[in-house]
Amino acid sequence: VQLVESGGGLVKPGGSLRLSCATSGFTFSDYHMSWIRQSPGKGLEWLSYISGSSKADYADSVRGRFTISRDNAKNSLYLQMNSLRVEDTAVYYCAKDYYFASGSFPTDWGQGTLVTVST
Amino acid sequence: SSVLTQPPSVSVAPGQTATITCGGIDIDLKSVQWYQQRPGQAPVLVVFEDSARPSGIPERISGSKSGNTATLTINRVAAGDEADYYCQIWDSADFVVFGGGTRLTVL
């Protein structure tokens, strides 16, 4: 399993950024996928998940500003981030999830991409 | 909304046993996962469904649960175990919930 994030960088408050996650080593369309972030020196914060059929949901902190999507033909996951705030500064990880009857959890993580929101 | 409580830090001498706890309401009804995050690296799943280990995780790392507390136990601690450890559950309202993390220091 390989997950490689890209698209991070420096953006001004109010700006937008699109993160990508290229995957390999598993049948991408069969798996739920998630985005999780980690602010500098802080803990892990789950942001969003998407099912293989593109059903998605979001944490309250990003709902309405971030949009998760996937392209099963390209084995890729995306996160469109709009109206970015200083507090969105973090390392953003994509993760492959294990989905079970009672929910799901990440099993494999990419190395992350850093997003810095600053003037 | 679920909250998972972990001690901020645990310190242990090499060769000893480290125990990291994770408390939460209704945790006894939920599947608990544990992640290890070494400095500068991505998290790695070390325990899932309370006590199962993914392939490649040594047997000296184990998970258990009693009542509303889950516990990660690391036997024969070595310098390479120094990391942040996070517990995690799925909650129907908040989806993926992480504990605040525990920094394990090997003295």
Side-chain angles (χ1 to χ4, degrees):
Chain A
V1 173
Q2 259 205 322
L3 307 168
V4 180
E5 302 93 338
S6 61
L10 175 63
V11 61
K12 288 182 167 48
S16 297
L17 214 53
R18 189 195 195 208
L19 305 183
S20 299
C21 175
T23 76
S24 60
F26 64 102
T27 304
F28 180 71
S29 58
D30 285 349
Y31 287 88
H32 284 54
M33 300 290 295
S34 289
W35 286 100
I36 296 153
R37 72 183 177 186
Q38 186 170 36
S39 300
K42 302 295 185 184
L44 301 170
E45 180 188 13
W46 173 83
L47 300 178
S48 179
Y49 86 91
I50 187 168
S51 71
S53 58
S54 294
K55 175 188 172 186
D57 218 318
Y58 301 88
D60 289 343
S61 59
V62 303
R63 185 178 287 116
R65 299 190 300 125
F66 290 11
T67 303
I68 192 172
S69 62
R70 64 192 297 159
D71 185 334
N72 288 340
K74 295 184 177 179
N75 296 328
S76 292
L77 177 72
Y78 306 100
L79 187 68
Q80 177 66 43
M81 304 187 296
N82 299 330
S83 303
L84 283 162
R85 306 166 180 167
V86 170
E87 55 265 33
D88 294 319
T89 295
V91 174
Y92 285 71
Y93 295 101
C94 74
K96 169 179 168 278
D97 292 347
Y98 172 71
Y99 180 78
F100 61 111
S102 302
S104 71
F105 57 85
T107 57
D108 300 89
W109 301 59
Q111 282 305 304
T113 186
L114 176 63
V115 172
T116 303
V117 185
S118 174
T119 56
Chain B
S1 164
S2 291
V3 174
L4 299 178
T5 302
Q6 298 183 235
S9 63
V10 167
S11 299
V12 64
Q16 300 303 302
T17 297
T19 57
I20 299 172
T21 58
C22 173
I25 294 172
D26 293 336
I27 202 172
D28 56 329
L29 304 175
K30 300 180 188 294
S31 173
V32 179
Q33 282 63 240
W34 290 92
Y35 298 87
Q36 175 194 67
Q37 186 179 31
R38 293 188 172 109
Q41 297 187 19
V44 172
L45 180 68
V46 294
V47 168
F48 65 97
E49 294 178 346
D50 300 340
S51 59
R53 272 184 307 274
S55 60
I57 302 301
E59 290 184 7
R60 62 187 186 82
I61 295 178
S62 63
S64 61
K65 195 169 67 177
S66 177
N68 287 329
T69 300
T71 301
L72 180 72
T73 302
I74 306 174
N75 294 316
R76 302 183 300 282
V77 165
D81 297 321
E82 195 159 274
D84 294 326
Y85 292 84
Y86 295 90
C87 59
Q88 177 267 325
I89 62 169
W90 170 274
D91 177 88
S92 60
D94 300 315
F95 306 103
V96 176
V97 179
F98 291 100
T102 298
R103 174 149 299 174
L104 174 63
T105 300
V106 181
L107 300 170

